[in-house]
């Protein structure tokens, strides 16, 4: 049956029966660990240790987790929410088939944590409500306000895996255009994107890493610019399994439909204007907190690799995706606007007080044909079309804002 708790009660099990089975599995697990340790010796590799432990203890560990969760949720009104029946693709005789499995979302007790004892949790992208569910309801949040010395430019475009061609295994036109634009951005660059985008695109001399691959690293602190291509969006099922585990002991049931929904979400604009975009969100607020931590907060963590708490020259973050993040946005551009700004910046940097501007020059500098046409129309509305030279200050003011990138 789909409801494991109902099935257990229908077969005459009691909570004491489940607790007894849990304790028996724990003892078996301890015996397996002791047995596995006898085959270890000084100098054995870590890989062999993990392989042996996994082989000797997996069965007992799985049964212990299952019975532990069943006992903990036995009396809750929501039932055994953290245990679900589902399917999993399994390789059998060279073919892949779906097999039924029992999935258990498990949360360990924090060893050594005593009631009333102070705990210091340093968590740059944490959520206080999630941490209260993980550690203690009594946990209090103290935010250290530290202003990032950075300008944030966000491009309102979809850079999903589908849009970039990653699901098909071949770079889409969009990924190729984005990579071309990124190569043209001057200065020391860090590019953070999907793991499977790295072999499909040429980002030039930029340092390239992927979502989840940069945490705890400090080698990007000398970069001028962080470029985030895409966003970390875990599958809905993965977020729901995390929610099942984190809120294991909560009596309030989670709303877990197995799919995201589109909602309007606002950007944090530096000028306090009201701008927003439609994003995928989880309908359960608690599950959505977890999604925000893993998506928007991870983008902020990626930008923070540039080590922005400083009094030097402001650095630059370019977010090539429409999903709002916790970072205050200085400028919000369309994809055409982004390409145009890069081309204008390149022309201005090459000029000595004046620069030649025509549609061909803009396109050669990396601007799209649409963007080049837009700029020329703007110029034509202000000056005689027979006079193609304009001061760079006028040129930049035509498109608004500063030149993108750290030009010499």
């Amino acid at each position: 049956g789909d409801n494991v708790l109902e099935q257990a009660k229908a077969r005459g099990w009691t909570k004491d029966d489940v607790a007894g089975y849990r304790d028996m599995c724990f003892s078996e697990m301890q015996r397996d660990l002791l047995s596995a340790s006898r085959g270890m010796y000084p100098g054995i590799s870590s890989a062999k240790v993990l392989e042996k432990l996994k082989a000797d203890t997996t069965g007992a560990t799985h049964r212990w987790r299952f019975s532990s969760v069943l006992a903990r949720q036995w009396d809750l009104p929501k039932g055994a929410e953290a245990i679900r029946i589902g399917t999993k693709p399994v390789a059998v005789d060279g073919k892949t088939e779906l097999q039924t499995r029992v999935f258990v979302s498990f949360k360990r007790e924090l060893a050594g944590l005593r009631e009333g004892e102070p705990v210091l949790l340093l968590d740059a992208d944490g959520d206080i409500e999630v941490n209260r569910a993980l550690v203690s309801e009594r946990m209090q949040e103290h935010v250290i306000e530290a202003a990032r010395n950075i300008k944030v430019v966000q491009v309102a475009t979809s850079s999903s895996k589908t849009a970039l061609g990653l699901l098909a295994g071949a770079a889409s036109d969009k990924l190729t255009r984005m990579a071309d634009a990124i190569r043209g951005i001057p200065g020391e660059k860090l590019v953070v994107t999907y793991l499977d985008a790295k072999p499909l695109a040429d980002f030039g001399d930029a340092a390239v890493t992927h979502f989840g691959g940069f945490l705890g690293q400090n080698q990007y602190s000398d970069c001028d610019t962080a470029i985030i291509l895409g966003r970390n969006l875990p599958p809905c099922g993965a977020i729901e399994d995390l929610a099942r585990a984190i809120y294991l002991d909560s009596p309030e049931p989670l709303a877990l439909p197995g799919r995201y929904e589109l909602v309007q979400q606002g950007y944090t604009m530096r000028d306090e204007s009201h701008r927003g975009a439609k994003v995928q969100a989880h309908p359960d607020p608690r599950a959505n907190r977890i999604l925000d931590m893993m998506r928007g907060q991870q983008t902020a963590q990626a930008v923070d690799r540039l080590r922005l708490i400083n009094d030097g020259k402001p650095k630059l973050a370019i977010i090539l995706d429409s999903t709002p993040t916790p970072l205050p946005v200085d400028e919000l551009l369309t994809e055409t606007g982004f390409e145009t700004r890069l081309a204008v910046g390149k022309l201005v940097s090459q000029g000595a007080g004046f620069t030649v501007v025509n549609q061909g020059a803009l396109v050669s500098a990396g601007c799209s044909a649409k963007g080049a046409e837009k700029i020329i129309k703007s110029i034509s509305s202000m000056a005689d079309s027979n006079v193609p030279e304009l001061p760079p200050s006028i040129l930049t003011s035509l498109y608004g804002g500063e030149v993108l990138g750290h030009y010499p």
Side-chain angles (χ1 to χ4, degrees):
D2 291 338
N3 191 311
V4 175
L5 182 56
E6 284 184 4
Q7 291 291 320
K9 290 179 177 179
R11 293 165 191 266
W13 285 31
T14 67
K15 184 177 180 179
D16 289 341
D17 292 333
V18 176
Y21 181 62
R22 173 200 63 201
D23 295 341
M24 183 182 74
C25 291
F26 184 78
S27 297
E28 182 182 347
M29 186 173 62
Q30 296 299 102
R31 286 196 301 271
D32 287 347
L33 285 169
L34 182 62
S35 174
S37 68
R38 291 180 184 137
M40 298 179 195
Y41 50 86
I44 187 174
S45 69
S46 301
K48 287 186 177 180
V49 169
L50 293 174
E51 182 182 356
K52 187 165 181 59
L53 288 176
K54 183 177 180 181
D56 290 347
T57 64
T58 297
T61 301
H62 286 176
R63 293 194 300 275
W64 171 66
R65 288 180 175 176
F66 170 82
S67 52
S68 294
V69 169
L70 197 58
R72 286 169 71 172
Q73 295 197 316
W74 189 272
D75 294 326
L76 295 181
K78 66 179 181 180
E81 184 179 66
I83 301 175
R84 65 179 178 88
I85 309 296
T87 57
K88 179 180 180 180
V90 178
V92 178
D93 297 331
K95 297 181 180 180
T96 300
E97 63 180 42
L98 289 177
Q99 294 187 359
T100 302
R101 290 287 187 271
V102 178
F103 294 89
V104 180
S105 297
F106 184 74
K107 176 174 67 173
R108 289 187 180 275
E109 298 290 345
L110 288 178
L113 184 64
R114 295 188 290 273
E115 187 70 22
E117 189 173 53
V119 175
L120 180 63
L121 175 64
L122 302 178
D123 195 351
D125 57 0
D127 180 284
I128 184 59
E129 296 302 327
V130 172
N131 283 328
R132 282 173 179 157
L134 284 170
V135 183
S136 169
E137 287 294 329
R138 298 174 60 188
M139 177 167 279
Q140 297 186 31
E141 184 177 38
H142 300 275
V143 178
I144 300 173
E145 297 291 352
R148 296 176 171 95
N149 189 14
I150 193 165
K151 175 180 178 177
V152 178
V153 175
Q154 185 148 2
V155 181
T157 185
S158 174
S159 293
S160 65
K161 287 191 171 187
T162 301
L164 299 183
L166 306 187
L167 299 184
S172 66
D173 290 342
K174 184 167 201 170
L175 177 55
T176 302
R177 290 198 315 273
M178 289 294 188
D180 290 345
I182 289 169
R183 288 198 306 274
I185 297 173
E188 296 291 323
K189 303 182 290 282
L190 166 65
V191 175
V192 180
T193 187
Y194 306 103
L195 178 62
D196 36 358
K198 292 162 65 176
L200 297 179
D202 177 13
F203 297 111
D205 59 357
V208 183
T209 186
H210 58 275
F211 294 113
F214 54 78
L215 298 176
Q217 298 185 24
N218 200 43
Q219 67 263 40
Y220 309 116
S221 58
D222 291 333
C223 291
D224 302 310
T225 304
I227 302 162
I228 315 301
L229 177 57
R231 76 277 193 182
N232 186 45
L233 182 64
C236 186
I239 294 294
E240 292 188 346
D241 282 344
L242 278 172
R244 287 184 174 96
I246 291 170
Y247 298 102
L248 181 70
D249 302 312
S250 171
E252 183 183 347
L254 293 156
L256 304 175
R259 63 185 180 277
Y260 294 129
E261 60 184 18
L262 281 178
V263 301
Q264 190 77 11
Q265 184 175 332
Y267 296 102
T268 303
M269 299 299 298
R270 187 91 65 182
D271 62 5
E272 300 184 354
S273 60
H274 297 283
R275 311 284 292 277
K278 284 192 173 181
V279 300
Q280 295 193 76
H282 197 281
D284 188 283
R286 290 172 292 176
N288 201 54
R289 284 179 177 273
I290 301 169
L291 174 60
D292 284 342
M293 288 172 59
M294 301 187 71
R295 182 177 56 190
Q297 291 284 10
Q298 185 151 155
T299 294
Q301 280 269 35
V303 172
D304 284 339
R305 295 309 99 188
L306 270 55
R307 301 310 185 209
L308 306 170
I309 312 303
N310 62 72
D311 57 359
K313 183 179 179 181
K315 295 189 176 184
L316 175 66
I318 301 175
I319 303 172
L320 299 174
D321 188 74
S322 59
T323 306
T325 78
L327 296 169
V329 178
D330 294 277
E331 292 190 64
L332 191 62
L333 302 176
T334 63
E335 185 178 342
T336 300
F338 168 65
E339 294 173 348
T340 305
R341 284 284 294 280
L342 289 177
V344 169
K346 194 175 293 184
L347 289 177
V348 171
S349 71
Q350 295 167 355
F354 287 84
T355 184
V356 175
V357 180
N358 56 44
Q359 195 162 338
L362 287 166
V363 171
S364 67
C367 186
S368 67
K370 183 178 178 181
E373 183 180 358
K374 182 177 179 180
I375 270 285
I376 294 301
K377 283 182 178 178
S378 299
I379 294 173
S380 298
S381 68
M382 294 181 63
D384 184 350
S385 59
N386 295 321
V387 183
E389 295 86 15
L390 286 172
S393 59
I394 293 179
L395 218 173
T396 53
S397 66
L398 278 173
Y399 204 76
E402 302 171 15
V403 172
L404 284 185
H406 290 265
Y407 287 93

